Amino acid sequence: MPSQDPFSPWRAAGDAHDNAAAPSAAQRAPGARVWPVGALCLAIGDALQARFGAVAVEGEISGLSRAASGHLYFALKDAQGQLRCAMFRRAAQLAAFEPAEGDRVIVQGRVSVYGPRGDLQLVVESMRRAGLGSLYEQFLQLKQRLQQEGLFDAARKRPLAALPRGLAIVTSPNAAALHDALSALRRRAPHVPVLLAPALVQGAGAPASLRAALAQLYEGIAQGRLRRADGQPLHIDTILLVRGGGSIEDLWAFNDAELARLIVQSPVPLVAGIGHETDFTIADWCADLRAPTPTAAAELAALPRQQLLQALRHSHDRLTQALDRYGMEQQRRLQWAGHMLARPSALLAQHAAQLQRNAQRLRHSGQQQLGRQALRLQQHGAQWPRALQASLQAQQQRLAQAALRLRMLDPQQALERGYAILSTAQGEIVREPAQLQPGQTITARLAQGSATLQVPPHTPRASPHPQPKPPPAPQQKLPF
């Protein structure tokens, strides 16, 4: 059974058309050139390049694919047609943004024919977003003006809190950027509470909506009236201003001058994560920190929980080791003290030996001193013994006189003569009758012992005008 070729009707018609149209060898002009297919493709490509040169084409990217080599292949299309394009790796790396499906762009390149397929294609050498010219000029002018106002000064930018107590995200509730940021925070720092300040991020009303959301958030932070879901106070340490990627028109809301001035008034550090890595807005320059994407903004705002737990475990280990070292040192000291207390005789023997050594040194020193004194006495001759004898006699005489004075002044001598010393119960010496009260008990110290006396109840008080005392008997003058 003959195989059926699904293309056989087309081939038959084509063969019939070729046979009817193609001239016979006899009809072909003598000397006519026969083109190889590849050579004809090259010739057509050269003719197109000579005719058009470098061209700029505007259209919408369709069927975008990136080869493993880094080359980009896509088609540019509009309502009237489409053109296949190839952008080699070097040119793709120099692009100011990451092309995406559906982007409207203006490319510059050269027209050629891809020989292996005979396709007309445009080899793209550069690419920019469509409509970038006028908007980009406005962006540069605004950037220069705000830079002169000092809104971009690095000196006013603040570091982010290492351990934030809470984060606030300013974006659209329906934006993919919110989902990306929340996913990153749930993965890295699920313990950090997050507050959403909803705002438009695209369109004519977006700048005013963003300003209102920030102003309301600032007021809540300043007044301390932000609350968590459980009613507890919410402390915001960092604000995230995020939006996904898009064209310059889509991100134009973040190029608002009033929004820029409001961003620099943030009471806490503010991170801008707007667009993709190659997208820049005025808000990025005004923020305390710029993140390339919303996900990166969330990652910069909070350290990973695992990293914090690892640091905590490291600190715990260091503290445990320090306590162990301290405990071991105290244990060694306690063991030494216990050893010394258990054998006090050893410590006493050590001190006794030290005292004995000190005594020996003292005796030796005294002997040396006496030897030197004896030598001096021998050197001065006999005058020293006489002078020493005289001095000793004088000292003995003064000592005898002093001993006699002491004996005369000794109260015991007066007591031996029959006198007594009266004192109250409080130990106060009675010197005059006025110190006594009727019935008072006093103590009389005698030469031999003491006696307890009681003042009679009717003892007459001493006269306020005492009689003159008789003159004292003449005392015997002592010989000294």
Side-chain angles (χ1 to χ4, degrees):
M1 182 177 179
S3 61
Q4 295 182 356
D5 186 355
F7 298 102
S8 57
W10 295 92
R11 287 199 178 96
D15 292 343
H17 175 75
D18 292 341
N19 293 333
S24 61
Q27 295 173 335
R28 193 179 298 125
R33 180 177 180 181
V34 179
W35 287 86
V37 176
L40 183 58
C41 289
L42 290 175
I44 294 173
D46 292 340
L48 290 174
Q49 290 187 24
R51 169 66 178 81
F52 293 99
V55 295
V57 183
E58 180 177 353
E60 180 180 322
I61 295 179
S62 175
L64 177 65
S65 65
R66 182 185 294 273
S69 60
H71 305 330
L72 295 180
Y73 300 100
F74 56 93
L76 279 183
K77 66 178 184 178
D78 57 15
Q80 287 75 34
Q82 70 176 15
L83 178 63
R84 297 189 64 84
C85 300
M87 190 174 187
F88 298 127
R89 180 177 60 183
R90 182 175 179 276
Q93 291 175 343
L94 296 177
F97 68 102
E98 185 71 21
E101 187 76 14
D103 285 352
R104 190 163 188 83
V105 296
I106 297 177
V107 300
Q108 193 165 12
R110 49 187 174 82
V111 181
S112 67
V113 175
Y114 182 58
R117 288 198 302 267
D119 291 341
L120 177 68
Q121 69 175 6
L122 182 66
V123 179
V124 178
E125 297 174 347
S126 64
M127 177 187 295
R128 62 182 176 88
R129 297 186 186 276
L132 184 62
S134 60
L135 290 180
Y136 191 66
E137 184 66 25
Q138 296 178 35
F139 172 80
L140 293 179
Q141 292 176 1
L142 178 61
K143 179 173 179 269
Q144 182 179 5
R145 186 169 74 251
L146 296 180
Q147 186 173 11
Q148 292 175 353
E149 294 181 16
L151 270 63
F152 305 160
D153 290 348
R156 66 158 193 83
K157 297 182 183 293
R158 298 158 292 184
L160 303 185
L163 299 174
R165 295 168 294 179
L167 301 175
I169 301 179
V170 181
T171 190
S172 172
N174 302 322
L178 176 61
H179 176 269
D180 295 341
L182 291 178
S183 298
L185 291 174
R186 280 193 295 266
R187 183 182 69 255
R188 291 169 60 88
H191 59 282
V192 178
V194 180
L195 174 68
L196 173 63
L200 299 176
V201 294
Q202 185 173 344
S209 178
L210 289 169
R211 293 196 301 268
L214 284 176
Q216 186 177 4
L217 183 59
Y218 293 172
E219 183 180 358
I221 294 175
Q223 297 179 359
R225 54 184 176 83
L226 300 180
R227 292 291 183 270
R228 302 174 56 170
D230 56 1
Q232 295 297 321
L234 176 59
H235 301 277
I236 300 298
D237 293 319
T238 306
I239 296 175
L240 306 182
L241 180 62
V242 298
R243 187 208 188 280
S247 64
I248 190 172
E249 295 89 347
D250 298 336
L251 304 179
W252 195 250
F254 297 91
N255 294 326
D256 181 72
E258 294 303 320
L259 176 62
R261 297 187 180 95
L262 188 61
I263 287 175
V264 300
Q265 298 174 11
S266 174
V268 296
L270 188 146
V271 182
I274 303 168
H276 297 300
E277 296 185 11
T278 57
D279 296 325
F280 276 88
T281 65
I282 296 298
D284 293 320
W285 298 96
C286 297
D288 293 280
L289 182 64
R290 178 202 177 252
T293 61
T295 300
E299 292 175 348
L300 291 172
L303 292 175
R305 181 176 61 176
Q306 293 300 326
Q307 181 177 346
L308 298 177
L309 292 176
Q310 183 178 359
L312 184 60
R313 285 192 293 268
H314 180 65
S315 299
H316 176 268
D317 294 341
R318 293 183 59 188
L319 181 60
T320 302
Q321 293 173 2
L323 289 175
D324 291 343
R325 288 194 298 270
Y326 178 78
M328 293 177 63
E329 178 64 25
Q330 295 301 317
Q331 185 177 5
R332 285 194 296 268
R333 295 181 62 184
L334 184 61
Q335 290 176 351
W336 180 85
H339 177 72
M340 298 305 296
L341 290 176
R343 300 180 57 188
S345 58
L347 183 62
L348 292 176
Q350 180 180 358
H351 288 293
Q354 182 65 33
L355 289 175
Q356 186 176 4
R357 288 193 294 270
N358 293 339
Q360 290 177 354
R361 285 196 295 267
L362 183 61
R363 285 194 298 270
H364 181 68
S365 176
Q367 291 175 358
Q368 289 181 341
Q369 183 70 18
L370 289 176
R372 287 193 293 270
Q373 294 295 337
L375 181 61
R376 290 177 183 174
L377 289 175
Q378 292 177 1
Q379 291 175 350
H380 286 82
Q383 58 180 357
W384 280 102
R386 289 192 298 271
L388 181 59
Q389 183 66 28
S391 175
L392 288 175
Q393 291 177 357
Q395 294 294 337
Q396 289 176 353
Q397 185 177 4
R398 283 196 294 272
L399 182 61
Q401 293 175 355
L404 181 60
R405 287 196 188 97
L406 287 176
R407 284 195 299 273
M408 296 298 297
L409 296 176
D410 187 3
Q412 186 67 27
Q413 297 295 328
L415 296 178
E416 293 290 342
R417 293 196 298 272
Y419 291 96
I421 299 176
L422 303 181
S423 62
T424 64
Q426 291 77 23
E428 182 180 0
I429 300 299
V430 178
R431 292 182 173 81
E432 56 183 355
Q435 294 180 250
L436 302 176
Q437 299 294 334
Q440 180 179 0
T441 300
I442 59 177
T443 301
R445 178 182 171 188
L446 307 175
Q448 301 294 331
S450 61
T452 301
L453 306 177
Q454 187 175 17
V455 179
H458 300 291
T459 302
R461 292 185 176 275
S463 172
H465 302 287
Q467 297 296 326
K469 298 180 180 180
Q475 299 180 357
Q476 182 181 0
K477 186 175 181 181
L478 299 177
F480 49 89

